Short mmCIF file of all heavy atoms in Angstrom, two decimals:
data_model
loop_
_atom_site.label_atom_id
_atom_site.label_comp_id
_atom_site.label_asym_id
_atom_site.label_seq_id
_atom_site.Cartn_x
_atom_site.Cartn_y
_atom_site.Cartn_z
N MET A 1 7.30 -46.92 73.44
CA MET A 1 7.13 -47.21 72.02
C MET A 1 6.76 -48.68 71.85
O MET A 1 7.44 -49.56 72.35
CB MET A 1 8.44 -46.90 71.28
CG MET A 1 8.33 -47.12 69.79
SD MET A 1 9.71 -46.44 68.88
CE MET A 1 10.97 -47.63 69.21
N MET A 2 5.66 -48.92 71.14
CA MET A 2 5.20 -50.29 70.92
C MET A 2 5.67 -50.79 69.57
O MET A 2 5.69 -50.06 68.59
CB MET A 2 3.68 -50.36 70.98
CG MET A 2 3.11 -50.15 72.37
SD MET A 2 1.33 -50.27 72.37
CE MET A 2 1.09 -51.90 71.73
N GLN A 3 6.05 -52.05 69.53
CA GLN A 3 6.46 -52.67 68.27
C GLN A 3 5.51 -53.80 67.93
O GLN A 3 5.15 -54.60 68.80
CB GLN A 3 7.88 -53.23 68.38
CG GLN A 3 8.96 -52.18 68.35
CD GLN A 3 10.34 -52.82 68.35
OE1 GLN A 3 10.51 -53.91 68.85
NE2 GLN A 3 11.30 -52.13 67.79
N GLU A 4 5.11 -53.85 66.67
CA GLU A 4 4.26 -54.94 66.21
C GLU A 4 5.13 -56.15 65.88
O GLU A 4 6.22 -56.02 65.34
CB GLU A 4 3.48 -54.52 64.96
CG GLU A 4 2.46 -53.43 65.23
CD GLU A 4 1.30 -53.93 66.06
OE1 GLU A 4 0.98 -55.13 65.97
OE2 GLU A 4 0.73 -53.12 66.81
N ASP A 5 4.64 -57.34 66.23
CA ASP A 5 5.41 -58.55 65.98
C ASP A 5 5.43 -58.93 64.51
O ASP A 5 6.41 -59.43 63.99
CB ASP A 5 4.86 -59.71 66.80
CG ASP A 5 5.15 -59.53 68.27
OD1 ASP A 5 6.11 -58.82 68.60
OD2 ASP A 5 4.41 -60.10 69.09
N LYS A 6 4.30 -58.70 63.83
CA LYS A 6 4.24 -59.06 62.42
C LYS A 6 3.51 -57.97 61.64
O LYS A 6 2.77 -57.19 62.21
CB LYS A 6 3.57 -60.41 62.20
CG LYS A 6 2.17 -60.51 62.76
CD LYS A 6 1.61 -61.91 62.61
CE LYS A 6 1.20 -62.17 61.19
NZ LYS A 6 0.45 -63.41 61.02
N PHE A 7 3.73 -57.95 60.35
CA PHE A 7 3.12 -56.96 59.48
C PHE A 7 1.63 -57.21 59.37
O PHE A 7 1.19 -58.33 59.14
CB PHE A 7 3.79 -57.04 58.10
CG PHE A 7 3.18 -56.10 57.10
CD1 PHE A 7 3.39 -54.74 57.21
CD2 PHE A 7 2.42 -56.59 56.06
CE1 PHE A 7 2.85 -53.88 56.29
CE2 PHE A 7 1.87 -55.73 55.13
CZ PHE A 7 2.08 -54.37 55.25
N ASP A 8 0.84 -56.16 59.50
CA ASP A 8 -0.61 -56.27 59.37
C ASP A 8 -0.98 -56.15 57.91
O ASP A 8 -0.74 -55.13 57.27
CB ASP A 8 -1.28 -55.16 60.18
CG ASP A 8 -2.79 -55.28 60.14
OD1 ASP A 8 -3.29 -56.36 59.75
OD2 ASP A 8 -3.46 -54.30 60.50
N ARG A 9 -1.55 -57.22 57.35
CA ARG A 9 -1.91 -57.23 55.94
C ARG A 9 -3.14 -56.39 55.66
O ARG A 9 -3.40 -56.04 54.52
CB ARG A 9 -2.17 -58.66 55.49
CG ARG A 9 -0.95 -59.54 55.62
CD ARG A 9 -1.28 -60.97 55.31
NE ARG A 9 -1.93 -61.08 54.01
CZ ARG A 9 -2.47 -62.18 53.54
NH1 ARG A 9 -2.44 -63.27 54.27
NH2 ARG A 9 -3.03 -62.21 52.37
N GLY A 10 -3.91 -56.09 56.67
CA GLY A 10 -5.11 -55.30 56.48
C GLY A 10 -6.35 -56.15 56.24
O GLY A 10 -7.45 -55.66 56.32
N THR A 11 -6.17 -57.42 55.94
CA THR A 11 -7.31 -58.31 55.74
C THR A 11 -6.91 -59.73 56.12
O THR A 11 -5.76 -60.11 55.97
CB THR A 11 -7.81 -58.27 54.29
OG1 THR A 11 -8.91 -59.17 54.18
CG2 THR A 11 -6.73 -58.69 53.30
N ALA A 12 -7.90 -60.49 56.58
CA ALA A 12 -7.65 -61.90 56.90
C ALA A 12 -8.41 -62.79 55.94
O ALA A 12 -8.51 -63.98 56.15
CB ALA A 12 -8.07 -62.18 58.35
N LEU A 13 -8.96 -62.21 54.86
CA LEU A 13 -9.76 -62.97 53.92
C LEU A 13 -8.86 -63.63 52.89
O LEU A 13 -8.67 -63.13 51.78
CB LEU A 13 -10.77 -62.05 53.22
CG LEU A 13 -11.81 -61.43 54.14
CD1 LEU A 13 -12.67 -60.44 53.37
CD2 LEU A 13 -12.68 -62.50 54.75
N THR A 14 -8.26 -64.73 53.26
CA THR A 14 -7.40 -65.47 52.35
C THR A 14 -7.53 -66.95 52.63
O THR A 14 -7.79 -67.36 53.76
CB THR A 14 -5.94 -65.01 52.48
OG1 THR A 14 -5.15 -65.75 51.58
CG2 THR A 14 -5.41 -65.24 53.89
N ILE A 15 -7.35 -67.75 51.58
CA ILE A 15 -7.42 -69.21 51.74
C ILE A 15 -6.03 -69.81 51.79
O ILE A 15 -5.87 -71.02 51.87
CB ILE A 15 -8.24 -69.85 50.61
CG1 ILE A 15 -7.60 -69.58 49.24
CG2 ILE A 15 -9.68 -69.37 50.64
CD1 ILE A 15 -8.26 -70.33 48.10
N PHE A 16 -5.00 -68.98 51.72
CA PHE A 16 -3.63 -69.46 51.69
C PHE A 16 -2.97 -69.24 53.04
O PHE A 16 -3.31 -68.31 53.77
CB PHE A 16 -2.84 -68.74 50.61
CG PHE A 16 -3.44 -68.90 49.24
CD1 PHE A 16 -4.14 -67.88 48.65
CD2 PHE A 16 -3.30 -70.09 48.55
CE1 PHE A 16 -4.70 -68.02 47.40
CE2 PHE A 16 -3.86 -70.25 47.30
CZ PHE A 16 -4.56 -69.22 46.72
N SER A 17 -2.01 -70.09 53.35
CA SER A 17 -1.35 -69.99 54.65
C SER A 17 -0.27 -68.92 54.67
O SER A 17 0.00 -68.34 55.71
CB SER A 17 -0.75 -71.34 55.03
OG SER A 17 0.17 -71.76 54.03
N THR A 18 0.33 -68.65 53.51
CA THR A 18 1.39 -67.65 53.47
C THR A 18 1.17 -66.68 52.31
O THR A 18 0.51 -67.01 51.32
CB THR A 18 2.77 -68.31 53.28
OG1 THR A 18 2.78 -69.01 52.04
CG2 THR A 18 3.09 -69.28 54.41
N ASP A 19 1.72 -65.49 52.43
CA ASP A 19 1.62 -64.50 51.37
C ASP A 19 2.33 -64.99 50.11
O ASP A 19 1.89 -64.72 49.00
CB ASP A 19 2.25 -63.18 51.81
CG ASP A 19 1.37 -62.45 52.81
OD1 ASP A 19 0.16 -62.76 52.87
OD2 ASP A 19 1.88 -61.57 53.52
N ARG A 20 3.45 -65.69 50.28
CA ARG A 20 4.21 -66.14 49.12
C ARG A 20 3.39 -67.12 48.28
O ARG A 20 3.38 -67.03 47.06
CB ARG A 20 5.52 -66.80 49.57
CG ARG A 20 6.32 -67.34 48.40
CD ARG A 20 7.76 -67.52 48.77
NE ARG A 20 8.34 -66.25 49.16
CZ ARG A 20 9.64 -66.07 49.41
NH1 ARG A 20 10.46 -67.07 49.33
NH2 ARG A 20 10.09 -64.89 49.77
N HIS A 21 2.70 -68.05 48.94
CA HIS A 21 1.86 -69.01 48.22
C HIS A 21 0.75 -68.28 47.47
O HIS A 21 0.46 -68.59 46.31
CB HIS A 21 1.28 -70.01 49.21
CG HIS A 21 0.60 -71.18 48.57
ND1 HIS A 21 -0.25 -71.99 49.24
CD2 HIS A 21 0.65 -71.65 47.30
CE1 HIS A 21 -0.71 -72.92 48.41
NE2 HIS A 21 -0.19 -72.73 47.23
N GLU A 22 0.14 -67.30 48.14
CA GLU A 22 -0.92 -66.53 47.50
C GLU A 22 -0.40 -65.78 46.28
O GLU A 22 -1.04 -65.76 45.22
CB GLU A 22 -1.49 -65.54 48.53
CG GLU A 22 -2.68 -64.76 48.04
CD GLU A 22 -3.26 -63.87 49.11
OE1 GLU A 22 -2.71 -63.81 50.22
OE2 GLU A 22 -4.28 -63.23 48.82
N ASP A 23 0.79 -65.19 46.40
CA ASP A 23 1.39 -64.46 45.28
C ASP A 23 1.71 -65.39 44.11
O ASP A 23 1.51 -65.03 42.95
CB ASP A 23 2.66 -63.73 45.72
CG ASP A 23 2.37 -62.59 46.68
OD1 ASP A 23 1.22 -62.13 46.70
OD2 ASP A 23 3.29 -62.18 47.40
N LEU A 24 2.22 -66.58 44.40
CA LEU A 24 2.56 -67.51 43.33
C LEU A 24 1.30 -67.99 42.59
O LEU A 24 1.31 -68.11 41.37
CB LEU A 24 3.32 -68.71 43.89
CG LEU A 24 4.75 -68.42 44.34
CD1 LEU A 24 5.36 -69.65 44.99
CD2 LEU A 24 5.61 -67.97 43.16
N VAL A 25 0.24 -68.25 43.33
CA VAL A 25 -1.01 -68.67 42.69
C VAL A 25 -1.56 -67.53 41.83
O VAL A 25 -2.01 -67.74 40.70
CB VAL A 25 -2.04 -69.12 43.75
CG1 VAL A 25 -3.41 -69.34 43.11
CG2 VAL A 25 -1.55 -70.40 44.41
N ALA A 26 -1.51 -66.31 42.34
CA ALA A 26 -1.99 -65.16 41.57
C ALA A 26 -1.16 -64.97 40.31
O ALA A 26 -1.70 -64.67 39.23
CB ALA A 26 -1.95 -63.90 42.43
N LEU A 27 0.14 -65.14 40.40
CA LEU A 27 1.02 -65.04 39.23
C LEU A 27 0.67 -66.11 38.20
O LEU A 27 0.57 -65.82 37.00
CB LEU A 27 2.47 -65.15 39.66
CG LEU A 27 3.51 -65.09 38.54
CD1 LEU A 27 3.46 -63.76 37.83
CD2 LEU A 27 4.90 -65.35 39.10
N GLY A 28 0.50 -67.33 38.67
CA GLY A 28 0.16 -68.41 37.76
C GLY A 28 -1.17 -68.17 37.05
O GLY A 28 -1.29 -68.36 35.84
N LEU A 29 -2.18 -67.72 37.80
CA LEU A 29 -3.48 -67.44 37.18
C LEU A 29 -3.38 -66.31 36.16
O LEU A 29 -3.98 -66.37 35.09
CB LEU A 29 -4.50 -67.08 38.26
CG LEU A 29 -4.99 -68.24 39.12
CD1 LEU A 29 -5.91 -67.75 40.22
CD2 LEU A 29 -5.70 -69.27 38.26
N SER A 30 -2.61 -65.29 36.47
CA SER A 30 -2.48 -64.18 35.53
C SER A 30 -1.76 -64.62 34.26
O SER A 30 -2.12 -64.17 33.16
CB SER A 30 -1.75 -63.00 36.20
OG SER A 30 -0.43 -63.36 36.53
N LEU A 31 -0.77 -65.49 34.39
CA LEU A 31 -0.09 -65.99 33.19
C LEU A 31 -1.03 -66.84 32.34
O LEU A 31 -1.00 -66.77 31.11
CB LEU A 31 1.14 -66.80 33.59
CG LEU A 31 2.30 -66.00 34.17
CD1 LEU A 31 3.40 -66.93 34.66
CD2 LEU A 31 2.84 -65.02 33.14
N ILE A 32 -1.85 -67.66 32.96
CA ILE A 32 -2.82 -68.48 32.22
C ILE A 32 -3.83 -67.60 31.50
O ILE A 32 -4.14 -67.82 30.32
CB ILE A 32 -3.53 -69.47 33.17
CG1 ILE A 32 -2.53 -70.53 33.65
CG2 ILE A 32 -4.71 -70.13 32.48
CD1 ILE A 32 -3.06 -71.41 34.77
N ILE A 33 -4.34 -66.59 32.19
CA ILE A 33 -5.30 -65.68 31.56
C ILE A 33 -4.66 -64.95 30.39
O ILE A 33 -5.25 -64.82 29.32
CB ILE A 33 -5.85 -64.70 32.61
CG1 ILE A 33 -6.73 -65.46 33.61
CG2 ILE A 33 -6.66 -63.59 31.92
CD1 ILE A 33 -7.15 -64.64 34.80
N ALA A 34 -3.41 -64.49 30.57
CA ALA A 34 -2.72 -63.79 29.49
C ALA A 34 -2.51 -64.72 28.30
O ALA A 34 -2.67 -64.31 27.14
CB ALA A 34 -1.38 -63.26 29.99
N LEU A 35 -2.19 -65.97 28.54
CA LEU A 35 -2.01 -66.93 27.45
C LEU A 35 -3.31 -67.18 26.71
O LEU A 35 -3.35 -67.22 25.47
CB LEU A 35 -1.44 -68.25 28.01
CG LEU A 35 -1.21 -69.35 26.97
CD1 LEU A 35 -0.16 -68.91 25.96
CD2 LEU A 35 -0.79 -70.64 27.65
N LEU A 36 -4.40 -67.34 27.45
CA LEU A 36 -5.69 -67.55 26.81
C LEU A 36 -6.10 -66.34 25.97
O LEU A 36 -6.63 -66.49 24.86
CB LEU A 36 -6.77 -67.85 27.87
CG LEU A 36 -6.62 -69.21 28.57
CD1 LEU A 36 -7.65 -69.33 29.69
CD2 LEU A 36 -6.77 -70.35 27.58
N VAL A 37 -5.88 -65.16 26.48
CA VAL A 37 -6.19 -63.95 25.71
C VAL A 37 -5.35 -63.89 24.45
O VAL A 37 -5.83 -63.58 23.37
CB VAL A 37 -5.99 -62.68 26.58
CG1 VAL A 37 -6.04 -61.42 25.73
CG2 VAL A 37 -7.02 -62.63 27.69
N TYR A 38 -4.08 -64.24 24.56
CA TYR A 38 -3.18 -64.22 23.40
C TYR A 38 -3.62 -65.22 22.34
O TYR A 38 -3.57 -64.95 21.14
CB TYR A 38 -1.76 -64.53 23.87
CG TYR A 38 -0.76 -64.60 22.75
CD1 TYR A 38 -0.31 -63.43 22.13
CD2 TYR A 38 -0.25 -65.82 22.31
CE1 TYR A 38 0.61 -63.48 21.09
CE2 TYR A 38 0.67 -65.89 21.28
CZ TYR A 38 1.10 -64.72 20.67
OH TYR A 38 2.00 -64.77 19.65
N LEU A 39 -4.09 -66.40 22.77
CA LEU A 39 -4.46 -67.44 21.82
C LEU A 39 -5.82 -67.19 21.17
O LEU A 39 -6.00 -67.54 20.00
CB LEU A 39 -4.49 -68.80 22.53
CG LEU A 39 -3.12 -69.34 22.97
CD1 LEU A 39 -3.32 -70.63 23.76
CD2 LEU A 39 -2.22 -69.58 21.77
N PHE A 40 -6.76 -66.62 21.89
CA PHE A 40 -8.14 -66.52 21.39
C PHE A 40 -8.53 -65.14 20.90
O PHE A 40 -9.65 -64.96 20.42
CB PHE A 40 -9.11 -66.99 22.48
CG PHE A 40 -9.03 -68.46 22.74
CD1 PHE A 40 -8.45 -68.93 23.91
CD2 PHE A 40 -9.49 -69.38 21.81
CE1 PHE A 40 -8.35 -70.29 24.15
CE2 PHE A 40 -9.41 -70.74 22.03
CZ PHE A 40 -8.83 -71.20 23.20
N VAL A 41 -7.66 -64.17 21.00
CA VAL A 41 -8.01 -62.81 20.55
C VAL A 41 -7.20 -62.46 19.34
O VAL A 41 -6.04 -62.80 19.26
CB VAL A 41 -7.80 -61.77 21.67
CG1 VAL A 41 -8.01 -60.36 21.15
CG2 VAL A 41 -8.75 -62.07 22.82
#
């Protein structure tokens, strides 16, 4: 039985070093977009 050392994300196309950093940036961008939609619509 073989064990993988780390989880395979399925893609290496990222500019961030960690998944957590990528998730935080995505969260921040989504909040900014939601705020802009709320203010201008």
Side-chain angles (χ1 to χ4, degrees):
M1 182 167 76
M2 290 181 58
Q3 285 185 332
E4 293 290 331
D5 290 335
K6 57 185 284 189
F7 177 72
D8 184 15
R9 298 174 54 188
T11 179
L13 296 175
T14 180
I15 61 173
F16 303 104
S17 58
T18 62
D19 286 341
R20 178 159 300 187
H21 190 197
E22 185 176 4
D23 292 340
L24 289 175
V25 171
L27 179 63
L29 287 176
S30 64
L31 290 174
I32 291 170
I33 291 171
L35 180 63
L36 291 174
V37 169
Y38 177 74
L39 291 175
F40 290 108
V41 174

